[in-house]
Amino acid sequence: MKDKFIRILSPMTLAVVILLDLAVIGYGIFAVYRLTQVRTGMTVIFAIIEIAAIVIAVLTTKETVKNGLLLRATDFEFTGMDKDNVYAYNQIKDIAGYKDEAPSLVKNFIDRHAVLTLTLTDDTTVLLDLGLCQKRTLETVQKALCERCGVDYQPPTVKTKLEFKSLRKKQPNTAEAPTTADQQDDTVK
């Protein structure tokens, strides 16, 4: 089989990285402009800081864009992780995906991450966090892995509905029997 690379990149992450890169470029233009006008110690320090910002921006963009799934002939690798990121196809017994897209004002970004659950042949479970990717990307990754591992494809579980949770504890529906004092009050009236 031919090697294949599937990029795992969310539109929101890409937008943030592009905005940061544009900010560094704007900051660089301003630094060069100030350096050509007035050459003082502060403007030189300003330019040095800008060079460091450019290097950091290039490395961040490179790291963000290179994250993905590399499918080889006998194994696959998640390039966004540092360790435990290479698995052989014959090690995988089952693959399941999960993504939460339900509207909520109390969830953090980590709650929105797409997750792949790999069940290995020795019955250990591995959770792989794909980050803030789209449902389409999760499906593509899961289909490609299922195809190469020989596992039946089951569409990922995507939570899209808002579930209301009661803030009060439910009390059992027990009607209190009237006491003798209540009965006496009713007879007096």
Side-chain angles (χ1 to χ4, degrees):
M1 283 186 218
K2 187 177 178 183
D3 290 356
K4 181 179 178 183
F5 182 73
I6 301 172
R7 190 170 317 282
I8 300 174
L9 181 64
S10 75
M12 185 169 40
T13 304
L14 183 63
V16 168
V17 168
I18 288 173
L19 283 174
L20 290 175
D21 289 345
L22 290 175
V24 168
I25 291 169
Y27 187 74
I29 292 170
F30 180 71
V32 169
Y33 176 73
R34 289 294 291 169
L35 196 59
T36 58
Q37 280 189 342
V38 180
R39 207 173 282 212
T40 63
M42 290 304 287
T43 56
V44 171
I45 292 173
F46 196 59
I48 292 171
I49 291 172
E50 174 55 26
I51 292 170
I54 290 172
V55 169
I56 291 171
V58 166
L59 293 176
T60 302
T61 304
K62 178 182 171 191
E63 185 67 29
T64 302
V65 172
K66 81 172 189 171
N67 287 345
L69 173 66
L70 180 60
L71 300 164
R72 295 189 198 102
T74 59
D75 60 2
F76 60 94
E77 175 183 1
F78 286 93
T79 59
M81 299 187 323
D82 292 332
K83 62 178 186 169
D84 298 330
N85 61 343
V86 179
Y87 298 95
Y89 296 127
N90 59 4
Q91 284 182 298
I92 308 299
K93 183 167 64 171
D94 189 31
I95 300 170
Y98 176 78
K99 175 128 174 79
D100 186 357
E101 293 181 343
S104 177
L105 296 175
V106 294
K107 291 182 182 173
N108 292 329
F109 283 115
I110 193 76
D111 299 327
R112 304 291 182 185
H113 285 202
V115 177
L116 263 179
T117 306
L118 303 177
T119 305
L120 304 179
T121 53
D122 60 354
D123 289 331
T124 57
T125 304
V126 178
L127 283 172
L128 297 172
D129 186 356
L130 300 182
L132 293 170
C133 68
Q134 296 176 321
K135 180 178 127 182
R136 183 177 64 224
T137 305
L138 175 62
E139 288 174 350
T140 304
V141 167
Q142 190 173 351
K143 279 181 186 176
L145 284 177
C146 286
E147 178 185 313
R148 297 227 181 179
C149 293
V151 176
D152 292 334
Y153 173 71
Q154 300 164 357
T157 305
V158 179
K159 182 180 170 187
T160 58
K161 294 183 179 176
L162 178 62
E163 295 175 1
F164 292 102
K165 294 182 181 176
S166 176
L167 297 177
R168 288 185 265 159
K169 293 181 181 177
K170 292 184 178 180
Q171 306 224 347
N173 192 6
T174 56
E176 293 182 22
T179 61
T180 55
D182 291 339
Q183 290 172 350
Q184 288 174 353
D185 288 342
D186 289 339
T187 56
V188 173
K189 291 181 185 177

Short mmCIF file of all heavy atoms in Angstrom, two decimals, residues 113-162:
data_model
loop_
_atom_site.label_atom_id
_atom_site.label_comp_id
_atom_site.label_asym_id
_atom_site.label_seq_id
_atom_site.Cartn_x
_atom_site.Cartn_y
_atom_site.Cartn_z
N HIS A 113 -12.94 18.27 21.91
CA HIS A 113 -11.96 17.51 21.14
C HIS A 113 -12.57 16.22 20.61
O HIS A 113 -13.39 15.58 21.27
CB HIS A 113 -10.75 17.17 21.99
CG HIS A 113 -9.86 18.33 22.22
ND1 HIS A 113 -8.54 18.19 22.57
CD2 HIS A 113 -10.07 19.66 22.17
CE1 HIS A 113 -7.98 19.38 22.70
NE2 HIS A 113 -8.90 20.29 22.46
N ALA A 114 -12.15 15.82 19.42
CA ALA A 114 -12.54 14.53 18.86
C ALA A 114 -11.60 13.47 19.44
O ALA A 114 -10.41 13.70 19.60
CB ALA A 114 -12.42 14.56 17.35
N VAL A 115 -12.17 12.32 19.76
CA VAL A 115 -11.40 11.26 20.41
C VAL A 115 -11.58 9.96 19.63
O VAL A 115 -12.69 9.60 19.26
CB VAL A 115 -11.88 11.06 21.86
CG1 VAL A 115 -11.14 9.92 22.53
CG2 VAL A 115 -11.71 12.33 22.66
N LEU A 116 -10.48 9.28 19.38
CA LEU A 116 -10.50 7.94 18.80
C LEU A 116 -10.13 6.95 19.89
O LEU A 116 -9.16 7.17 20.63
CB LEU A 116 -9.48 7.81 17.68
CG LEU A 116 -9.93 8.00 16.26
CD1 LEU A 116 -8.76 7.86 15.31
CD2 LEU A 116 -11.02 7.07 15.87
N THR A 117 -10.89 5.88 20.00
CA THR A 117 -10.61 4.84 20.98
C THR A 117 -10.17 3.59 20.22
O THR A 117 -10.93 3.05 19.43
CB THR A 117 -11.85 4.52 21.82
OG1 THR A 117 -12.33 5.71 22.41
CG2 THR A 117 -11.52 3.52 22.91
N LEU A 118 -8.94 3.19 20.44
CA LEU A 118 -8.40 1.99 19.81
C LEU A 118 -8.40 0.87 20.84
O LEU A 118 -7.86 1.03 21.93
CB LEU A 118 -6.97 2.21 19.32
CG LEU A 118 -6.71 3.35 18.35
CD1 LEU A 118 -5.23 3.44 18.05
CD2 LEU A 118 -7.51 3.18 17.09
N THR A 119 -9.00 -0.26 20.49
CA THR A 119 -8.94 -1.44 21.34
C THR A 119 -7.91 -2.37 20.69
O THR A 119 -8.08 -2.79 19.55
CB THR A 119 -10.30 -2.14 21.44
OG1 THR A 119 -11.26 -1.19 21.89
CG2 THR A 119 -10.25 -3.30 22.41
N LEU A 120 -6.85 -2.65 21.44
CA LEU A 120 -5.77 -3.47 20.91
C LEU A 120 -6.08 -4.95 21.11
O LEU A 120 -7.01 -5.32 21.84
CB LEU A 120 -4.46 -3.09 21.60
CG LEU A 120 -4.06 -1.61 21.50
CD1 LEU A 120 -2.76 -1.37 22.24
CD2 LEU A 120 -3.95 -1.17 20.06
N THR A 121 -5.31 -5.80 20.46
CA THR A 121 -5.55 -7.24 20.53
C THR A 121 -5.33 -7.80 21.93
O THR A 121 -5.89 -8.84 22.27
CB THR A 121 -4.65 -7.99 19.54
OG1 THR A 121 -3.30 -7.60 19.76
CG2 THR A 121 -5.07 -7.71 18.11
N ASP A 122 -4.54 -7.14 22.76
CA ASP A 122 -4.35 -7.60 24.14
C ASP A 122 -5.37 -6.98 25.09
O ASP A 122 -5.16 -6.95 26.30
CB ASP A 122 -2.92 -7.33 24.61
CG ASP A 122 -2.56 -5.85 24.58
OD1 ASP A 122 -3.38 -5.06 24.08
OD2 ASP A 122 -1.46 -5.50 25.04
N ASP A 123 -6.48 -6.48 24.53
CA ASP A 123 -7.63 -5.90 25.27
C ASP A 123 -7.28 -4.64 26.06
O ASP A 123 -7.97 -4.30 27.01
CB ASP A 123 -8.27 -6.94 26.20
CG ASP A 123 -9.02 -8.00 25.41
OD1 ASP A 123 -9.51 -7.67 24.30
OD2 ASP A 123 -9.11 -9.15 25.88
N THR A 124 -6.22 -3.96 25.69
CA THR A 124 -5.96 -2.65 26.26
C THR A 124 -6.63 -1.60 25.38
O THR A 124 -6.79 -1.79 24.18
CB THR A 124 -4.45 -2.35 26.38
OG1 THR A 124 -3.87 -2.46 25.09
CG2 THR A 124 -3.78 -3.30 27.35
N THR A 125 -7.00 -0.50 26.00
CA THR A 125 -7.68 0.57 25.29
C THR A 125 -6.78 1.80 25.25
O THR A 125 -6.21 2.18 26.27
CB THR A 125 -9.01 0.92 25.99
OG1 THR A 125 -9.79 -0.27 26.07
CG2 THR A 125 -9.78 1.95 25.21
N VAL A 126 -6.70 2.40 24.08
CA VAL A 126 -5.87 3.59 23.90
C VAL A 126 -6.79 4.72 23.44
O VAL A 126 -7.51 4.57 22.45
CB VAL A 126 -4.77 3.35 22.85
CG1 VAL A 126 -3.95 4.61 22.64
CG2 VAL A 126 -3.89 2.20 23.25
N LEU A 127 -6.79 5.83 24.16
CA LEU A 127 -7.55 7.02 23.76
C LEU A 127 -6.61 7.97 23.04
O LEU A 127 -5.57 8.36 23.57
CB LEU A 127 -8.13 7.73 24.98
CG LEU A 127 -9.35 7.09 25.61
CD1 LEU A 127 -9.70 7.79 26.91
CD2 LEU A 127 -10.52 7.15 24.67
N LEU A 128 -6.98 8.35 21.83
CA LEU A 128 -6.18 9.28 21.04
C LEU A 128 -6.98 10.56 20.85
O LEU A 128 -8.05 10.56 20.27
CB LEU A 128 -5.84 8.68 19.68
CG LEU A 128 -4.99 7.41 19.73
CD1 LEU A 128 -4.89 6.80 18.35
CD2 LEU A 128 -3.63 7.72 20.27
N ASP A 129 -6.45 11.65 21.37
CA ASP A 129 -7.11 12.95 21.26
C ASP A 129 -6.68 13.60 19.95
O ASP A 129 -5.52 13.90 19.74
CB ASP A 129 -6.69 13.82 22.45
CG ASP A 129 -7.42 15.13 22.50
OD1 ASP A 129 -8.21 15.43 21.59
OD2 ASP A 129 -7.21 15.87 23.47
N LEU A 130 -7.67 13.79 19.05
CA LEU A 130 -7.36 14.39 17.74
C LEU A 130 -7.45 15.91 17.78
O LEU A 130 -7.17 16.56 16.78
CB LEU A 130 -8.31 13.85 16.67
CG LEU A 130 -8.28 12.34 16.45
CD1 LEU A 130 -9.24 11.96 15.34
CD2 LEU A 130 -6.89 11.86 16.14
N GLY A 131 -7.87 16.47 18.88
CA GLY A 131 -7.95 17.91 19.01
C GLY A 131 -9.26 18.46 18.48
O GLY A 131 -10.24 17.76 18.30
N LEU A 132 -9.27 19.74 18.20
CA LEU A 132 -10.47 20.42 17.71
C LEU A 132 -10.60 20.25 16.20
O LEU A 132 -10.37 21.17 15.44
CB LEU A 132 -10.41 21.92 18.06
CG LEU A 132 -10.49 22.26 19.52
CD1 LEU A 132 -10.18 23.73 19.73
CD2 LEU A 132 -11.86 21.92 20.08
N CYS A 133 -10.93 19.05 15.78
CA CYS A 133 -11.09 18.83 14.35
C CYS A 133 -12.57 18.70 14.01
O CYS A 133 -13.41 18.55 14.87
CB CYS A 133 -10.31 17.59 13.90
SG CYS A 133 -10.95 16.05 14.52
N GLN A 134 -12.86 18.74 12.74
CA GLN A 134 -14.24 18.64 12.27
C GLN A 134 -14.70 17.18 12.30
O GLN A 134 -13.89 16.26 12.31
CB GLN A 134 -14.36 19.17 10.86
CG GLN A 134 -14.07 20.64 10.74
CD GLN A 134 -14.12 21.07 9.29
OE1 GLN A 134 -13.69 20.36 8.40
NE2 GLN A 134 -14.66 22.26 9.07
N LYS A 135 -16.01 17.02 12.26
CA LYS A 135 -16.60 15.68 12.22
C LYS A 135 -16.15 14.95 10.97
O LYS A 135 -15.85 13.75 11.00
CB LYS A 135 -18.12 15.79 12.27
CG LYS A 135 -18.85 14.49 12.24
CD LYS A 135 -20.34 14.72 12.35
CE LYS A 135 -21.02 14.04 11.21
NZ LYS A 135 -22.45 14.22 11.18
N ARG A 136 -16.06 15.66 9.87
CA ARG A 136 -15.62 15.08 8.61
C ARG A 136 -14.20 14.53 8.71
O ARG A 136 -13.90 13.45 8.19
CB ARG A 136 -15.72 16.15 7.51
CG ARG A 136 -15.37 15.67 6.14
CD ARG A 136 -15.55 16.77 5.10
NE ARG A 136 -14.62 17.86 5.36
CZ ARG A 136 -14.95 19.15 5.31
NH1 ARG A 136 -16.15 19.52 5.00
NH2 ARG A 136 -14.04 20.07 5.54
N THR A 137 -13.32 15.23 9.41
CA THR A 137 -11.94 14.76 9.58
C THR A 137 -11.91 13.50 10.44
O THR A 137 -11.18 12.56 10.14
CB THR A 137 -11.08 15.86 10.22
OG1 THR A 137 -11.18 17.04 9.45
CG2 THR A 137 -9.64 15.45 10.34
N LEU A 138 -12.70 13.50 11.51
CA LEU A 138 -12.78 12.31 12.37
C LEU A 138 -13.26 11.10 11.57
O LEU A 138 -12.70 10.01 11.69
CB LEU A 138 -13.72 12.58 13.56
CG LEU A 138 -14.00 11.41 14.49
CD1 LEU A 138 -12.73 10.92 15.16
CD2 LEU A 138 -15.03 11.80 15.53
N GLU A 139 -14.29 11.30 10.74
CA GLU A 139 -14.80 10.20 9.92
C GLU A 139 -13.75 9.71 8.92
O GLU A 139 -13.59 8.50 8.71
CB GLU A 139 -16.06 10.64 9.17
CG GLU A 139 -17.27 10.80 10.06
CD GLU A 139 -18.47 11.37 9.33
OE1 GLU A 139 -18.33 11.82 8.17
OE2 GLU A 139 -19.55 11.37 9.93
N THR A 140 -13.02 10.63 8.31
CA THR A 140 -11.99 10.26 7.34
C THR A 140 -10.89 9.44 7.99
O THR A 140 -10.45 8.41 7.45
CB THR A 140 -11.38 11.52 6.69
OG1 THR A 140 -12.43 12.28 6.09
CG2 THR A 140 -10.34 11.17 5.64
N VAL A 141 -10.44 9.88 9.16
CA VAL A 141 -9.38 9.17 9.88
C VAL A 141 -9.88 7.79 10.29
O VAL A 141 -9.18 6.78 10.10
CB VAL A 141 -8.93 9.99 11.12
CG1 VAL A 141 -8.09 9.15 12.06
CG2 VAL A 141 -8.16 11.22 10.68
N GLN A 142 -11.09 7.72 10.82
CA GLN A 142 -11.62 6.44 11.29
C GLN A 142 -11.84 5.47 10.13
O GLN A 142 -11.52 4.29 10.23
CB GLN A 142 -12.92 6.66 12.06
CG GLN A 142 -13.39 5.41 12.76
CD GLN A 142 -14.59 5.66 13.65
OE1 GLN A 142 -14.99 6.80 13.87
NE2 GLN A 142 -15.17 4.60 14.14
N LYS A 143 -12.35 5.96 8.99
CA LYS A 143 -12.55 5.10 7.82
C LYS A 143 -11.22 4.56 7.30
O LYS A 143 -11.10 3.38 6.97
CB LYS A 143 -13.25 5.87 6.70
CG LYS A 143 -14.73 5.97 6.86
CD LYS A 143 -15.34 6.73 5.68
CE LYS A 143 -16.81 6.97 5.91
NZ LYS A 143 -17.40 7.78 4.83
N ALA A 144 -10.22 5.42 7.21
CA ALA A 144 -8.91 4.99 6.71
C ALA A 144 -8.29 3.94 7.63
O ALA A 144 -7.73 2.94 7.15
CB ALA A 144 -7.98 6.19 6.57
N LEU A 145 -8.40 4.15 8.94
CA LEU A 145 -7.85 3.17 9.88
C LEU A 145 -8.61 1.85 9.82
O LEU A 145 -8.01 0.78 9.84
CB LEU A 145 -7.86 3.73 11.30
CG LEU A 145 -6.79 4.76 11.62
CD1 LEU A 145 -6.95 5.28 13.04
CD2 LEU A 145 -5.41 4.17 11.44
N CYS A 146 -9.93 1.92 9.76
CA CYS A 146 -10.74 0.69 9.70
C CYS A 146 -10.43 -0.10 8.44
O CYS A 146 -10.33 -1.33 8.47
CB CYS A 146 -12.23 1.03 9.76
SG CYS A 146 -12.79 1.52 11.41
N GLU A 147 -10.26 0.61 7.33
CA GLU A 147 -9.95 -0.04 6.06
C GLU A 147 -8.61 -0.76 6.13
O GLU A 147 -8.48 -1.91 5.71
CB GLU A 147 -9.93 1.00 4.95
CG GLU A 147 -9.58 0.46 3.58
CD GLU A 147 -9.47 1.57 2.56
OE1 GLU A 147 -10.37 2.42 2.52
OE2 GLU A 147 -8.46 1.58 1.83
N ARG A 148 -7.59 -0.11 6.67
CA ARG A 148 -6.25 -0.70 6.70
C ARG A 148 -6.10 -1.76 7.79
O ARG A 148 -5.30 -2.67 7.64
CB ARG A 148 -5.21 0.40 6.90
CG ARG A 148 -5.19 1.37 5.75
CD ARG A 148 -3.82 1.64 5.30
NE ARG A 148 -3.81 2.60 4.20
CZ ARG A 148 -2.72 3.01 3.64
NH1 ARG A 148 -1.56 2.60 4.06
NH2 ARG A 148 -2.77 3.86 2.64
N CYS A 149 -6.88 -1.63 8.88
CA CYS A 149 -6.79 -2.61 9.97
C CYS A 149 -7.71 -3.81 9.76
O CYS A 149 -7.62 -4.79 10.50
CB CYS A 149 -7.15 -1.94 11.31
SG CYS A 149 -5.97 -0.70 11.84
N GLY A 150 -8.62 -3.71 8.82
CA GLY A 150 -9.56 -4.79 8.58
C GLY A 150 -10.65 -4.86 9.63
O GLY A 150 -11.17 -5.93 9.93
N VAL A 151 -11.02 -3.73 10.17
CA VAL A 151 -12.05 -3.64 11.20
C VAL A 151 -13.31 -3.07 10.56
O VAL A 151 -13.22 -2.22 9.67
CB VAL A 151 -11.57 -2.72 12.35
CG1 VAL A 151 -12.64 -2.52 13.40
CG2 VAL A 151 -10.31 -3.26 12.97
N ASP A 152 -14.48 -3.53 11.01
CA ASP A 152 -15.74 -2.99 10.50
C ASP A 152 -15.87 -1.52 10.90
O ASP A 152 -15.66 -1.17 12.07
CB ASP A 152 -16.94 -3.77 11.05
CG ASP A 152 -16.99 -5.18 10.49
OD1 ASP A 152 -16.47 -5.39 9.38
OD2 ASP A 152 -17.55 -6.06 11.16
N TYR A 153 -16.24 -0.69 9.92
CA TYR A 153 -16.41 0.74 10.18
C TYR A 153 -17.76 1.01 10.84
O TYR A 153 -18.79 0.57 10.35
CB TYR A 153 -16.30 1.54 8.89
CG TYR A 153 -16.63 3.00 9.04
CD1 TYR A 153 -15.77 3.85 9.72
CD2 TYR A 153 -17.82 3.53 8.56
CE1 TYR A 153 -16.06 5.19 9.88
CE2 TYR A 153 -18.12 4.87 8.71
CZ TYR A 153 -17.24 5.69 9.38
OH TYR A 153 -17.55 7.02 9.55
N GLN A 154 -17.71 1.68 11.98
CA GLN A 154 -18.92 2.15 12.65
C GLN A 154 -18.78 3.66 12.73
O GLN A 154 -17.78 4.16 13.25
CB GLN A 154 -19.03 1.56 14.05
CG GLN A 154 -19.09 0.05 14.04
CD GLN A 154 -18.81 -0.53 15.42
OE1 GLN A 154 -18.53 0.19 16.36
NE2 GLN A 154 -18.88 -1.83 15.52
N PRO A 155 -19.76 4.41 12.21
CA PRO A 155 -19.64 5.88 12.24
C PRO A 155 -19.39 6.38 13.66
O PRO A 155 -19.88 5.80 14.62
CB PRO A 155 -20.99 6.35 11.71
CG PRO A 155 -21.54 5.19 10.96
CD PRO A 155 -21.01 3.97 11.62
N PRO A 156 -18.62 7.46 13.78
CA PRO A 156 -18.33 7.98 15.11
C PRO A 156 -19.59 8.48 15.81
O PRO A 156 -20.53 8.93 15.17
CB PRO A 156 -17.35 9.12 14.87
CG PRO A 156 -17.43 9.42 13.43
CD PRO A 156 -17.99 8.23 12.73
N THR A 157 -19.58 8.37 17.12
CA THR A 157 -20.67 8.90 17.93
C THR A 157 -20.49 10.41 18.02
O THR A 157 -19.47 10.88 18.51
CB THR A 157 -20.64 8.29 19.34
OG1 THR A 157 -20.65 6.87 19.22
CG2 THR A 157 -21.81 8.75 20.16
N VAL A 158 -21.49 11.14 17.53
CA VAL A 158 -21.42 12.59 17.56
C VAL A 158 -22.59 13.11 18.38
O VAL A 158 -23.74 12.88 18.04
CB VAL A 158 -21.46 13.19 16.14
CG1 VAL A 158 -21.41 14.71 16.20
CG2 VAL A 158 -20.31 12.66 15.32
N LYS A 159 -22.26 13.76 19.47
CA LYS A 159 -23.30 14.32 20.34
C LYS A 159 -23.63 15.71 19.82
O LYS A 159 -22.79 16.60 19.82
CB LYS A 159 -22.79 14.39 21.77
CG LYS A 159 -23.79 14.91 22.75
CD LYS A 159 -23.19 14.93 24.15
CE LYS A 159 -24.10 15.67 25.08
NZ LYS A 159 -23.50 15.87 26.38
N THR A 160 -24.87 15.89 19.34
CA THR A 160 -25.25 17.19 18.76
C THR A 160 -26.41 17.84 19.49
O THR A 160 -26.71 19.00 19.23
CB THR A 160 -25.65 17.03 17.29
OG1 THR A 160 -26.72 16.10 17.21
CG2 THR A 160 -24.49 16.56 16.45
N LYS A 161 -27.08 17.13 20.38
CA LYS A 161 -28.24 17.70 21.05
C LYS A 161 -27.87 18.15 22.44
O LYS A 161 -27.08 17.54 23.14
CB LYS A 161 -29.36 16.67 21.15
CG LYS A 161 -29.93 16.29 19.80
CD LYS A 161 -31.07 15.34 19.96
CE LYS A 161 -31.64 14.99 18.59
NZ LYS A 161 -32.68 13.99 18.69
N LEU A 162 -28.51 19.23 22.84
CA LEU A 162 -28.31 19.77 24.16
C LEU A 162 -29.13 18.95 25.14
O LEU A 162 -30.31 18.70 24.94
CB LEU A 162 -28.77 21.24 24.21
CG LEU A 162 -28.67 21.96 25.55
CD1 LEU A 162 -27.21 22.03 25.99
CD2 LEU A 162 -29.23 23.35 25.44
#
